[in-house]
Amino acid sequence: MLGRAVDDASTGSDSDYSNSWISWFLSSKGNEYFCEVEEDYILDRFNLTGLNNEVSNYAQALDLITDNLDDDIQDELRGALDVQARLLYGLIHARWIVTARGLAKMLEKFKRVDFGRCPRVLCQSQPLLPVGLSDIPYEKSVKLYCGRCEDVYSPKSSRHGSIDGAYFGTSFPHLLFMVYPHLIPPKSGPVEPAPPPRVSETDANKRNRRTREDPEVAEVINEPASTANVALKADRYRPRIYGFQLHEIAKLQRWQEAVRDRQVGRLEALEDLS
């Protein structure tokens, strides 16, 4: 999925680049999770240390992002450079959003609920934050982290689901809660409501028409699996900052796993009796 998304080069005309490549990129469908990286951060080569080893045609891709690319570049080469520019901007973005200014910009998006809400009922529509399961490109797609249940979910949109998780990194949501501890959600109780997004009449009509046109999918009933086996195979998300697991969360998770192990033992005993 990630490879297909990266290989999907832009089909925009030269007029699309007339204002700013970054503005064009941020306004493209599927890039709503990204925030704008300030130009002075990109132009400081210290912030880009090591990225020349991650991106081919690094110098030209950087020129494209900063709107300094020669206009005489052929269209075929420009399409290939656009793919590399997307990769480079994504990796710069992962570094930017863990700075003070980057966190402030992502905080605004979090307050607007730009990343959606937790689908878990008991989380009561807790706003989500994007997180990567790996800092290495092309390994894992972006997920959405809920600070209330401390679990991760896949984005609803396939456009968002194809974004590389390395463009947000593994540390971002946890650093945000460390810098803004008042945002850490309680484990119970209502979530502070946010204003609902405006839905135009055209969007509502499209949604209703799409609902009517979507075919019904037949429900597939499989044989019930062992509840204990499913619980043991479940992969648990572990919040980390720069590779180190958070101390308080680590202590909580050890307690949660002990409770789960006791519950699994009870389930196995009940299944043996049955």
Side-chain angles (χ1 to χ4, degrees):
M1 178 183 288
L2 293 179
R4 186 173 70 252
V6 172
D7 292 337
D8 184 16
S10 169
T11 57
S13 62
D14 290 340
S15 61
D16 294 330
Y17 295 93
S18 58
N19 294 326
S20 165
W21 185 92
I22 295 178
S23 299
W24 165 81
F25 175 79
L26 295 176
S27 62
S28 300
K29 289 184 178 180
N31 294 336
E32 292 82 7
Y33 286 0
F34 292 90
C35 71
E36 182 178 1
V37 181
E38 295 178 3
E39 187 176 4
D40 61 341
Y41 183 87
I42 298 176
L43 295 177
D44 187 344
R45 298 303 174 93
F46 177 78
N47 298 324
L48 313 185
T49 301
L51 294 184
N52 59 320
N53 298 324
E54 301 282 347
V55 181
S56 58
N57 298 319
Y58 167 80
Q60 291 176 312
L62 182 60
D63 287 341
L64 179 56
I65 290 176
T66 55
D67 304 310
N68 293 319
L69 187 65
D70 190 350
D71 293 335
D72 296 334
I73 295 292
Q74 296 180 356
D75 291 341
E76 295 80 3
L77 179 57
R78 183 156 192 160
L81 282 178
D82 184 75
V83 175
Q84 298 304 317
R86 291 167 181 260
L87 172 61
L88 179 58
Y89 185 83
L91 296 177
I92 296 173
H93 182 268
R95 298 184 178 188
W96 162 252
I97 60 176
V98 294
T99 65
R101 290 179 293 172
L103 285 170
K105 286 197 172 185
M106 293 297 278
L107 175 61
E108 295 176 3
K109 297 176 72 66
F110 174 70
K111 289 181 176 180
R112 293 196 304 264
V113 199
D114 287 354
F115 311 115
R117 296 181 181 274
C118 183
R120 185 173 178 267
V121 174
L122 295 179
C123 287
Q124 302 183 26
S125 300
Q126 168 67 31
L128 300 171
L129 286 167
V131 66
L133 301 182
S134 174
D135 292 310
I136 302 174
Y138 308 128
E139 285 199 352
K140 297 287 186 179
S141 59
V142 69
K143 301 297 180 183
L144 297 172
Y145 173 75
C146 174
R148 191 156 186 164
C149 64
E150 298 175 1
D151 210 344
V152 291
Y153 302 89
S154 297
K156 292 182 179 180
S157 170
S158 59
R159 290 181 181 271
H160 297 149
S162 63
I163 299 174
D164 199 318
Y167 297 166
F168 297 88
T170 57
S171 305
F172 159 66
H174 319 302
L175 275 175
L176 184 75
F177 286 136
M178 288 186 67
V179 175
Y180 303 100
H182 62 281
L183 295 177
I184 299 176
K187 300 305 176 186
S188 61
V191 177
E192 186 175 335
R198 292 185 177 179
V199 179
S200 64
E201 185 178 353
T202 304
D203 293 339
N205 293 335
K206 286 182 180 179
R207 187 183 301 110
N208 293 333
R209 184 167 61 253
R210 186 168 60 249
T211 303
R212 290 195 301 269
E213 294 175 354
D214 286 345
E216 293 185 0
V217 180
E219 183 179 357
V220 179
I221 301 176
N222 297 323
E223 294 183 1
S226 168
T227 307
N229 290 336
V230 172
L232 288 172
K233 292 179 181 179
D235 188 14
R236 184 180 181 85
Y237 175 72
R238 300 180 182 277
R240 298 177 184 275
I241 293 181
Y242 300 122
F244 296 96
Q245 191 168 350
L246 278 66
H247 172 68
E248 291 299 326
I249 293 180
K251 183 170 63 175
L252 173 62
Q253 286 188 344
R254 285 195 296 270
W255 174 80
Q256 290 174 336
E257 288 173 355
V259 173
R260 186 196 67 175
D261 291 341
R262 289 197 297 270
Q263 185 65 23
V264 167
R266 296 192 191 100
L267 290 172
E268 290 176 339
L270 291 174
E271 289 172 356
D272 291 341
L273 292 175
S274 62

